[in-house]
Each structure stands twice: as C-alpha cells, then as structure tokens.
Amino acid sequence: MHYTDSRDIKERNQISTKQRPIRILHVVGGMNRGGIETWLMHVLGNIDRDRFQMDFLVHTEKPYPYDDEARVLGSKIIPCLSPSKPWLYGRNFKRILREYGPYDIVHSHVHHFSGYVLYLAKQAGVPIRIAHRHSDTSAIDAKAGLHRRLYLTLTKWLIDRYATLGLAASYKVATVLFNRAWKTDSRWQILYCGVDLTPFREVVDSVAIRAEFGIPADAFVVGHVGRFEEAKNHLFLLEVAAAIAKKQPNMRLLMVSDGSLRPQIEQKAIEIGLSEYIIFAGLRPDVPRLMLGAMDTFVLPSLYEGLGLVLIEAQAAGLPCIFSDVVPEEADLVRPLLQRISLSKSASIWAEAVMSVRSDASAISQRDALVVVENSPFNIAASVKKLTEVYEANLSNS
C-alpha cells in the first residue's frame, strides 16, 4: 500500500505550477468601472500573463464595461449566480471550479461574503484562499439589525477559519476585518492597490476636453469620481456645490460614475436649482484625462473609504483635494495638495475650503506630484510586484 504524505503533495504542487501558469480565480460582483475592478484590470494589464492566469467569477450575467477588455487579455468572465441563495450558489461555485479549474488560488473581493466563498473553495480543494477587503464599513455595520449582525459574525468566523491569507487595503481596514491582533498573525497583511500612472504622463487639451461637456474654458470645475451609492455622500456634495455656486456662478460640478442613487441625486439637483451647474458624466474610461484637462479641484466627502484610489489618481493629476477625514492617512501622498475636513463641518465650510484653492497658487506642479505618486507603494508596478510575491510565497508553502 502506498501512502502519500503532505510533503509529496507540496512537491507535486510546486512542480505543477512551474510547468504551467499559476491560475487565480478572482471573485467580484461584476467587472464594472469601480475601484476594485479598475485595480484588477491594472493588475491584469501589468502582470506577467505567461506566469499568472487570472479569471473572474462574477455574480451577474449582465455585461459590464471591463468584460471585453479582460477577455482580450486572456481572462474568462464566469457568472456564478444566486449569492442570496447559499445552497444554490454553492452548487454553482463547485461546478465552475470543476469545469474551469483547477485553480491554485481563489482571491475573493466580496467583503464579508468572502467567508462563504473561501469555505466553498476549501471544500473544492483549492490550496490558497485569499480574503481581500477593500472597504471599511464598520460605521454602517455598527447600526446593523439582528439578522445582519448574525451574518457578519458568521462570515467573519468563516474568513478566520478558511482563509489561508487575508489582505487589506489599509491599516484601518485590516483592524476592522481581522481584529486588532492582526499584526501578530502572519496570515493577515496589508496590500496597497496601485494605479496605472501612464495616462497621467499625457499632454491633454484642456479647452477641448471642457468643450466636450459644454464647460466654459474659464469655469471653476469641481471634480468628483465615485459610484452613486450611500458611502460617497453625494447629497452632501450637492450642498457644497450649492454653497459654491452662490459665490462663484461660473462653477461647474463634474460628477463621474454611475450607480443606484444617480436618479435620486439628479432629481435633488433639479429641486435645489443646480441643474445648470452639474455635469453627470456617467461611467468613463478616461478618468485621468478628465482629471488633467477638465477639473480644477477634487472633492471626496465619503462617509467611509477603504483607502480611496481616486484620491491617489487626483494627486497624480496634481489636483488640490478636499476630502473627509475618514479616508485612511496612507492615501496622503502629495501633502501640499491635501486638505482633510470633518464631516461634522457644514457645507459652507467645505465650500470655503474648495473655493480657497482657486486663489492659492499650487505649491507643487503636476509633474512633481506625479513623481511622488510614482515613487509610492500605489504605483501599479509596486502593487503588482507585491501581489505576485504574495502569490508565489504562499504557493511555495502550501
């Protein structure tokens, strides 16, 4: 009778992954133009695709903007439906791993639901199972009802039990998800998501870009990029814009992205007489171009953020940034551009801060600001290097 010990299995795994690409299945809701998905596309575009094969398991059959781009780069978009029905979802998940696998790594980005995903991955025999948390939702979780609290307790327990590795977008997120003891547990680590900075090196025609949106060349443009969801605090942003418009009639608020609350925000803009001042640009593939050519300042009054990659992008564009003090301090790269304000302050105080940047000469050029970001952990090259090291180190120890 032949017995196989864990060393034999480990050696076979190492030989196998040396002979073929390391296969990673990323689990996301859908490949929309959000922060997580944009980072994943930047990773896909910059990783060694002969060494790493990335596929995406999504919770929808609806097509999303990044689907085709991912396929062009060699990835599969694999729908796994019914996440609200655990037994059906589990059956779908295991079928997908049988049909499309084997995968060396399941890397889950779906918040607390990652606990259930990694439980299923463990049952399917996936050796490396990663829970990756990008947002700090502790303020909302604290107000949850009984059923939600039970769900959070269960999924956190599942993450702790079935994740072979936990990654967090910032120290604050790590503390929330992995508890305060995370610094003494080697399973839990910080991984900063990076930005592809190539578009921020381009020369753009500001007048032409503004003309695309009907923005006067001399307008004062307040920029914002963020999905129309509660966390981004768009209703308060409208209050700030209204306060600015009273004093600077040539103000425009350029809002980029989409989301479930967009109709509500559009209606509110009409009710408070802001329609002529606001441009709803929708989802855009050229955010860096708009930051460089259309915006004079960037405002981010988020209720919570895991890190805020759009803030990193705004700094790379050399924009003065006014943002809420809930944003993790790791995002503070180009300090001459940054001003944190408490959400307890009034919209008029926020408006004064925004207007003040128009009269103040920038303390740093866009080129110099970009250099600072390039030399930070938020450059996509640094982010991909750290991620691939994490993958390879964990596989070698599996």
Side-chain angles (χ1 to χ4, degrees):
M1 182 176 295
H2 177 70
Y3 293 93
T4 302
D5 63 20
S6 59
R7 286 176 299 179
D8 293 330
I9 296 172
K10 180 177 178 179
E11 288 174 2
R12 282 207 303 269
N13 285 341
Q14 291 174 346
I15 292 170
S16 176
T17 55
K18 286 179 181 178
Q19 294 172 340
R20 60 167 176 77
I22 295 171
R23 303 196 66 219
I24 305 124
L25 183 66
H26 289 278
V27 180
V28 294
M31 291 303 289
N32 212 340
R33 291 191 186 278
I36 299 169
E37 299 83 4
T38 298
W39 173 66
L40 287 171
M41 290 305 301
H42 289 173
V43 169
L44 180 60
N46 287 272
I47 204 167
D48 180 353
R49 291 190 296 277
D50 291 329
R51 178 71 178 131
F52 298 92
Q53 166 65 42
M54 291 171 50
D55 292 333
F56 300 94
L57 182 145
V58 298
H59 292 164
T60 179
E61 289 182 312
K62 178 182 175 181
Y64 276 105
Y66 282 136
D67 288 356
D68 289 341
E69 185 178 338
R71 292 188 182 105
V72 167
L73 293 174
S75 296
K76 298 180 180 67
I77 305 294
I78 309 168
C80 184
L81 306 181
S82 306
S84 62
K85 300 175 181 177
W87 298 113
L88 182 55
Y89 179 88
R91 189 171 66 187
N92 291 338
F93 187 92
K94 291 177 182 178
R95 172 186 53 79
I96 286 168
L97 263 62
R98 287 194 304 270
E99 291 181 7
Y100 293 90
Y103 287 100
D104 304 294
I105 301 169
V106 167
H107 189 156
S108 181
H109 306 267
V110 286
H111 304 290
H112 291 93
F113 191 70
S114 291
Y116 185 53
V117 169
L118 300 186
Y119 161 74
L120 296 171
K122 168 67 173 178
Q123 288 192 322
V126 179
I128 305 301
R129 303 174 299 277
I130 303 175
H132 198 156
R133 184 65 179 269
H134 298 265
S135 298
D136 170 22
T137 58
S138 55
I140 289 180
D141 294 343
K143 302 174 185 177
L146 176 61
H147 288 94
R148 177 68 178 173
R149 291 200 305 272
L150 290 172
Y151 167 80
L152 295 175
T153 299
L154 173 60
T155 50
K156 273 193 167 187
W157 180 83
L158 289 171
I159 288 172
D160 186 64
R161 183 172 179 83
Y162 293 105
T164 60
L165 177 68
L167 299 174
S170 66
Y171 281 89
K172 188 175 183 181
V173 172
T175 301
V176 169
L177 186 61
F178 307 133
N179 301 318
R180 294 190 180 275
W182 72 269
K183 292 182 180 179
T184 60
D185 188 334
S186 61
R187 276 196 305 162
W188 313 133
Q189 300 180 28
I190 304 294
L191 177 73
Y192 294 128
C193 296
V195 174
D196 185 348
L197 298 171
T198 305
F200 294 97
R201 302 183 187 107
E202 301 294 329
V203 177
V204 301
D205 184 339
S206 179
V207 173
I209 293 171
R210 289 185 171 208
E212 291 175 22
F213 297 96
I215 300 173
D218 64 345
F220 175 55
V221 181
V222 177
H224 172 82
V225 181
R227 283 189 57 75
F228 285 82
E229 307 295 346
E230 181 183 2
K232 301 303 180 182
N233 206 12
H234 288 98
L235 288 174
F236 181 69
L237 182 58
L238 291 186
E239 293 180 34
V240 175
I244 297 172
K246 287 180 181 178
K247 296 187 176 181
Q248 297 197 7
N250 70 335
M251 184 277 295
R252 296 293 186 274
L253 174 60
L254 177 60
M255 303 174 79
V256 182
S257 198
D258 208 339
S260 64
L261 297 182
R262 177 172 169 176
Q264 175 188 341
I265 302 303
E266 290 179 330
Q267 181 60 36
K268 185 67 175 179
I270 294 171
E271 291 174 4
I272 62 177
L274 273 182
S275 296
E276 64 182 285
Y277 296 98
I278 300 180
I279 298 100
F280 292 91
L283 290 169
R284 299 280 303 200
D286 58 346
V287 169
R289 176 173 171 268
L290 300 186
M291 286 182 167
L292 289 169
M295 300 179 187
D296 292 305
T297 186
F298 184 80
V299 181
L300 189 71
S302 301
L303 298 174
Y304 59 85
E305 287 283 352
L307 181 87
L309 276 184
V310 290
L311 185 60
I312 304 297
E313 292 180 309
Q315 291 173 79
L319 292 173
C321 301
I322 313 298
F323 57 102
S324 60
D325 59 4
V326 303
V327 176
E329 292 185 2
E330 290 116 303
D332 294 5
L333 300 179
V334 191
R335 294 191 180 275
L337 296 175
L338 306 179
Q339 185 173 352
R340 291 173 170 269
I341 304 182
S342 169
L343 289 171
S344 65
K345 302 295 185 181
S346 67
S348 61
I349 290 177
W350 275 71
E352 289 294 337
V354 174
M355 287 185 290
S356 70
V357 304
R358 188 174 198 188
S359 56
D360 293 344
S362 176
I364 187 169
S365 69
Q366 188 267 329
R367 179 176 296 180
D368 289 341
L370 178 58
V371 169
V372 174
V373 181
E374 285 175 333
N375 292 323
S376 79
F378 300 100
N379 187 330
I380 190 61
S383 185
V384 169
K385 182 175 184 293
K386 175 67 182 296
L387 180 63
T388 55
E389 288 172 352
V390 165
Y391 286 159
E392 290 177 328
N394 279 266
L395 273 173
S396 66
N397 292 327
S398 66

